[in-house]
Structure formats: C-alpha cells, structure tokens
Amino acid sequence: MAKLRVLLLYISEVSGHHQATIAIESALRILRPDVEILNLNAFNYTNPFTEKIVNRLYLGVIKRTPGIWDYLYDNPSVIESTQKIKDAIHKHNSPKFKRLFDEFRPDAVVCSQAFPCGMAADFKKRYNSSIPLVGVLTDYAPHSYWIYDTVDYYIAPSEEVKDRFIRKGVPSDKIRVYGIPISPKFSLKHNREELVKKFGLNPSRPIILAMGGGQGLGPLNKIVSAFKKMRINSQLAVVAGSNKKLYRKLERKAKSYSKKIFLYGFINNIDELMEIANIIITKAGGLTTAEAFCKGLPMVIIKPLPGQEEINTTYFLNKGAAVKITDDKLILQFLQDLLSNPSMLKAMREAALKISKPYASLDIGKLILELCLTTSSTA
C-alpha cells in the first residue's frame, strides 16, 4: 500500500501558524507513523523575497500604527477592492504550486493561514483538482479572506466561530469545531514539584509567567519593571522568544534587581513552564492562549492588538478566563490583586479548562487521514 502524503502549508517561520502545522504533524506521526509529510512555508516557497518585506511591514504596522491593521482586518470594502490583486497573485504563483503538487502528489492539503489556503483553493479550481483541502483557523476571528468554495473543511476553535462562518456563507457541514491545534505534549501531566526544581524555582512562591509569543512581542520590559515593585513574595519567569535584542535588554535589567527573574529565549518546553505557573501575562495570539488554557492558566492580557487579538481577548473575557489591562501602569496592581484573590484565580482556571481543547491536533489528524484514505482509494 502506498504511503499517504500530507502537505501542510503555513506562513512565517516564527509564528503561531507554523506552530499549528508542527502540532498537526506531530499528531499525524502519532496516529500513522509511516505518513509522508511536507511542512512548507508557502509564502517563502512562492515569493521568498516578498516574504521578508511583508513580514517587516506587518511587524512595523502592528507595533507603530496598529489602527491601520484594525482597518484592514476583515474589512468588506478592502476585501472587495483587493480581489483583483489577490487573483493576480494566485495566477502568478500557480505554476510553482502546480510543480509542487505534481512532485509531492499530496493526498490532502492543510493550511493554517488564509494566504496559502487561497492559493491551494485557486489551484483546485484552476486545475479541476479534487484533492481534499482543509483550512485550520488559529484565532477566534474568522475573517472573509479564508472563504473559498473549494475548501472541503474548516477547523474552528469554538462554536461561536462556527456560527460566524455560517453567517458568512460557509455551509455548516464543512465546519468542524475541533479547536486550535497545539502539540499533543500539552495534554500530558507532570509532577509539579519536580518541574519547579528543574527550573530552579521556589515551590512555595507563586509563579508569574510572562511571554509575548515566538517573537517576544508585547510590553515584557514594563512587566519586568512592575515586578520589581511587587509586594507579594512571588517569582517571574520571562520568555523573550526569538527576540535576542529584548533578551539582552531584559538580562541587563534583571541583573540590577534584588529580586531574581528567570529569563529564557526561545524554548521547546514551554508546556512545562505553563504547567507550573499560577498566572500568565501574554499577547492574545491563538496558539499561545490555546496552550495556556490547556494547562488551566488564568490569563492577563495587556493592550491586545486590533484585529484578531482584540477579538480573541473579547472571547476570553466573556468566558471568564482572562482579564485585560488597558494601561501599562496598572500591571502591578492587577498582578497583586489576582495573587491576593484565590477564589478568582480558581474561577479563571476552571473557565480556562472549559475553553481548552487539548486533543485538537489529534482530532484534526484523524480527519486528515480519513480524507487521505478516501483520496488514495479513488486514485
């Protein structure tokens, strides 16, 4: 029997989109070790030079002028006016995509971001292909850039997102509410005492985990400054991600403090840190929040970015799993109030666990394999 082949498409190496495809790949290898997987940065594959420019522009916009991103995000007039540009990009990329599909011959294609999903959907229509195509949302913000007739299934993180997609015209039977795919390792439980010792932390003091996604975004510097004034005897673990400049800055600052701050760069065992933390302060990206909720972590979100982060935050607030800080100066007060309120922390932990879908990647993997088997049997 021929091996099943799965093509996973994402954009940007250090991103939640990439982490999502890595999680799906891990799940597929658990479910079917002999599956052949190509996990590809679609933007880099089709437009390697443009990718670097777009990434820089995106980071510049969300850091300096987030209002522009808020205007562009899921704006019907923008979507309509850019349709011809999108069609031209798809047409330009089509020969590369055809070569990729001809060489790898996937039994199913899975996209964790709307851009490659659009290219794959266009490929199916252009070449009359019946390859199953799955779009996996990594936020609670289902924008219209995702919607194409040739997408076979959408993976939604919640019933609310499913309802919004239905209102946008997506048939109900095309939507599966499996959740945001996170690594299967987040569903594992460890001995907390052993983990605390492993990280050199004190088991008798609350642990505050601060992080800004893979790229170390958000006011981590201000969080560290606020922690210096904490009256409650606690510990701060800061994950700077791939942001080396920020890491060096925080390292210099931490050395001047009497309170010990535990500082990390990009790490592969964030699941262990999340398991021992009492609170997480983070940006409201889909992957990080899905991971944190799987561990039942009460969440503090500081000034979420317009667009998907703001929509994510609203969802978490409505569910009682997070609190939002709109002013950096209130960080210290919020942290002290939360740590002084065990009943509130308990309620937030319970709400976080209700939101969580720890087996999302495995559920997605099972669907993909079903689609692959259907494809291979009809080939």
Side-chain angles (χ1 to χ4, degrees):
M1 184 177 177
K3 279 187 179 181
L4 300 181
R5 295 184 178 89
V6 179
L7 177 60
L8 302 174
L9 299 175
Y10 64 94
I11 65 167
S12 186
E13 294 302 317
V14 184
S15 68
H17 308 302
H18 190 194
Q19 290 304 309
T21 59
I22 291 172
I24 294 169
E25 179 175 353
S26 298
L28 285 169
R29 296 198 187 283
I30 290 170
L31 295 166
R32 181 142 181 167
D34 66 335
V35 65
E36 191 171 340
I37 300 170
L38 179 57
N39 199 341
L40 187 69
N41 181 338
F43 203 178
N44 181 266
Y45 176 79
T46 55
N47 307 276
F49 178 71
T50 309
E51 185 207 21
K52 295 176 183 178
I53 297 172
V54 170
N55 279 343
R56 286 174 186 166
L57 281 172
Y58 170 71
L59 287 174
V61 167
I62 64 173
K63 284 180 180 178
R64 298 181 184 90
T65 53
I68 293 176
W69 181 246
D70 187 35
Y71 173 76
L72 294 174
Y73 194 84
D74 203 22
N75 185 321
S77 62
V78 173
I79 292 169
E80 185 179 352
S81 62
T82 57
Q83 184 62 47
K84 288 184 179 179
I85 297 172
K86 190 169 62 172
D87 291 342
I89 292 171
H90 289 167
K91 186 177 181 180
H92 173 75
N93 292 333
S94 184
K96 284 188 177 180
F97 244 51
K98 187 174 189 310
R99 186 161 61 249
L100 170 66
F101 278 59
D102 286 347
E103 290 175 358
F104 186 64
R105 291 177 291 114
D107 295 302
V109 181
V110 184
C111 304
S112 64
Q113 205 272 347
F115 176 76
C117 188
M119 288 197 296
D122 179 77
F123 170 87
K124 286 186 64 175
K125 183 172 286 188
R126 194 177 296 272
Y127 296 101
N128 195 28
S129 169
S130 59
I131 296 171
L133 175 58
V134 181
V136 180
L137 278 75
T138 57
D139 286 293
Y140 295 82
H143 55 73
S144 299
Y145 292 104
W146 274 106
I147 299 174
Y148 296 90
D149 292 341
T150 50
V151 176
D152 295 276
Y153 288 99
Y154 290 98
I155 308 302
S158 69
E159 291 292 340
E160 289 87 345
V161 169
K162 177 181 178 178
D163 291 342
R164 288 183 64 186
F165 249 180
I166 291 170
R167 290 197 296 272
K168 286 177 179 286
V170 178
S172 175
D173 59 359
K174 277 192 171 189
I175 308 168
R176 301 287 180 91
V177 183
Y178 289 158
I180 294 173
I182 58 176
S183 171
K185 68 182 179 181
F186 280 87
S187 63
L188 302 176
K189 300 298 178 186
H190 305 85
N191 183 301
R192 188 178 190 278
E193 203 170 297
E194 289 178 4
L195 281 185
V196 170
K197 287 180 181 178
K198 175 181 175 179
F199 286 101
L201 294 156
N202 188 327
S204 64
R205 295 178 186 174
I207 299 167
I208 302 166
L209 174 59
M211 56 188 293
Q215 301 191 42
L217 301 174
L220 293 179
N221 188 43
K222 292 179 180 178
I223 293 168
V224 171
S225 297
F227 181 72
K228 182 182 180 181
K229 302 171 186 174
M230 278 283 287
R231 295 191 303 273
I232 295 173
N233 204 356
S234 54
Q235 304 162 95
L236 179 65
V238 183
V239 180
S242 61
N243 194 330
K244 294 178 181 179
K245 183 178 178 181
L246 173 66
Y247 183 92
R248 290 191 293 269
K249 183 177 182 179
L250 294 178
E251 191 176 36
R252 289 193 298 269
K253 179 175 279 193
K255 284 178 180 177
S256 67
Y257 287 5
S258 57
K259 290 185 177 181
K260 185 169 176 57
I261 294 171
F262 298 82
L263 186 60
Y264 307 92
F266 194 91
I267 59 174
N268 292 315
N269 59 340
I270 193 66
D271 58 307
E272 295 180 344
L273 263 180
M274 285 184 174
E275 185 150 342
I276 61 176
N278 299 90
I279 296 174
I280 183 169
I281 314 175
T282 184
K283 64 193 290 291
L287 262 290
T288 299
T289 53
E291 292 167 351
F293 290 144
C294 182
K295 295 296 184 182
L297 260 180
M299 188 172 295
V300 179
I301 298 169
I302 303 175
K303 292 196 295 190
L305 294 168
Q308 65 267 42
E309 282 198 15
E310 188 66 59
I311 296 169
N312 289 348
T313 301
T314 299
Y315 178 76
F316 305 148
L317 294 176
N318 289 340
K319 294 295 183 180
V323 293
K324 181 174 77 169
I325 300 176
T326 54
D327 187 342
D328 297 338
K329 295 174 184 176
L330 299 175
I331 294 173
L332 179 62
Q333 179 187 322
F334 263 80
L335 290 177
Q336 291 185 155
D337 287 349
L338 273 177
L339 290 175
S340 302
N341 193 336
S343 61
M344 185 175 180
L345 284 177
K346 182 174 182 289
M348 290 176 71
R349 275 194 294 272
E350 290 171 353
L353 289 171
K354 283 182 181 177
I355 290 175
S356 72
K357 288 183 167 50
Y359 305 109
S361 59
L362 290 167
D363 290 335
I364 294 167
K366 289 173 185 174
L367 173 65
I368 293 166
L369 291 175
E370 286 175 14
L371 295 171
C372 284
L373 289 168
T374 301
T375 304
S376 62
S377 66
T378 56

